[in-house]
Amino acid sequence: MNKQEYLSALRAYLAPMPAQEREELLQDYESHFVFGMDNGRSEAETARMLGEPLVVAKEILGPGFQLLPSQPPKKDIARLIGVTIALIFLNMVALPLLVSLWAVFVSICAVATFGCLSLVVLLVEQLLYGDATTAKLFVAIGSTGVGLLAAYAIRFYLTEWIVKLTLWYARWTARTWVGRT
Amino acid sequence: MDINTQFKKGVLELCVLALINKHDRYGYELAEAVSKHIEVAEGALYPLLRRLVNEGRCTTYLQESSGGPPRKYYKLTPDGLEYAKEMIAAWNAFVASVTELINEGEFPVQ
C-alpha cells in the first residue's frame, strides 16, 4: 500500500469525524510518510509500520463511533420471499380470527347501547302505542342491567384488550416481515 | 489480539510521556524512539497524542524543517508533567507488586 492509498483509505474510514479534526490528523499521517522517506523508509514500509488503516481508524474514532460499513448490507431476498409466504398463510388464519374478535366486540357494544336504552325504548313504545306491560317493563329493567354490565366491561377491559392485541399483532407482523436488524 | 498487544497499548501513553519529558519531540521521532524498545503500530501514536493535547497534558508547536513539512513538536504542560510523574510512580508500584506476586507463586524459573 502506498502513501496515497493509505491516506485515502484512512480518510474514508474517518468520515464520521468532524472535517477539520480529520484533516489535521491526516496531515500528521502524511507528514509521517514524508519523514519516513527522509529516513530511507519506503512508503510501503511506513504503511506497514503504521498498521492497517481500519485498525488505526478504530483507534482514532474510539468506541463512541460506529465505523461505516464499506458496503451497505445486502437484502436477503430468499428470506424475504420465505417470510412473505409464511406470513400470507398465517394471516389467512389470523386475520379472520381477528376480524371475528372485532365483530364480537362491536356486538357487545351494540348490546351495551341498546340495553342501556331499553327503558327509553319502552317509554317511547308506551307513548306512541300505549301497549307497555309489566312483563315488558321487567324485561327492559333486565336488559338495562345487562347493558350497564356490558358497558362497564367495554369501558374498563375489552377496548384496551382488543386494541392492544391488534397493535401487538400488527407490530409483530411488520417486524417479522422487515426482519430484525 | 494477543495479550502483548494489550499490554503495549496500555503502556504506550506512559512511554510517550516519558519520552516527551526528556525533551520535546515530534511525531515521527516519537514513533522511532518507541519502536526502538517495543514493537508497536505507529499509527496508534497520533490519536494518543491528540488525546494528550485535548486533555491539556501537552501543547504543540510547529518548527520548519529544511525541505520537508514542518515538524509538530509536543511539549509537556505543567499539568502533563505532574500527570507523567504520577503515572510513572503508579507504574513502578504496579510492576513491583506484580513481580512480588509472581515470585510468591513460585513459578519455576525457565
Side-chain angles (χ1 to χ4, degrees), chain B residues 36-89:
Chain B
K36 213 191 289 176
H37 297 282
I38 47 177
E39 197 183 305
V40 65
E42 294 178 349
L45 211 60
Y46 292 103
L48 170 66
L49 287 167
R50 191 171 62 107
R51 186 165 57 76
L52 287 173
V53 171
N54 287 343
E55 287 173 353
R57 317 285 192 202
C58 291
T59 51
T60 60
Y61 58 92
L62 292 178
Q63 204 169 72
E64 295 299 327
S65 60
S66 53
R71 292 169 175 181
K72 196 200 264 183
Y73 276 89
Y74 293 84
K75 181 188 173 61
L76 279 186
T77 62
D79 178 51
L81 182 62
E82 218 35 59
Y83 179 66
K85 279 183 189 163
E86 270 173 43
M87 283 272 283
I88 289 166

Side-chain angles (χ1 to χ4, degrees), chain A residues 118-139:
Chain A
S118 55
L119 277 172
V120 178
V121 173
L122 187 70
L123 187 66
V124 172
E125 191 184 6
Q126 169 64 18
L127 288 178
L128 290 181
Y129 309 107
D131 61 355
T133 60
T134 322
K136 279 185 180 170
L137 181 66
F138 281 124
V139 170

Side-chain angles (χ1 to χ4, degrees), chain A residues 85-97:
Chain A
I85 291 169
L87 282 178
I88 286 170
F89 280 106
L90 178 70
N91 276 302
M92 284 169 113
V93 181
L95 274 187
L97 256 174

Side-chain angles (χ1 to χ4, degrees), chain A residues 108 112-113 116 146-156:
Chain A
I108 292 173
T113 310
C116 291
V146 171
L148 285 175
L149 214 62
Y152 179 85
I154 290 163
R155 167 73 180 77
F156 291 102

Side-chain angles (χ1 to χ4, degrees), chain A residues 6 17 21 24-25 27-39 41 46 49-51 56 59-61, chain B residues 9 26-28 31-32 35 40-48 50 54 65-72 74:
Chain A
Y6 191 94
M17 257 181 121
E21 244 178 295
E24 274 175 29
L25 258 172
Q27 196 71 58
D28 288 339
Y29 285 95
E30 192 171 356
S31 301
H32 198 89
F33 273 98
V34 176
F35 294 132
M37 291 284 271
D38 292 346
N39 284 276
R41 272 195 199 168
T46 301
M49 293 295 277
L50 282 172
V56 172
E59 193 84 31
I60 293 170
L61 293 175
Chain B
K9 245 172 95 174
Y26 64 102
Y28 187 82
E32 273 199 321
S35 296
V40 65
E42 294 178 349
L45 211 60
Y46 292 103
L48 170 66
R50 191 171 62 107
N54 287 343
S65 60
S66 53
R71 292 169 175 181
K72 196 200 264 183
Y74 293 84

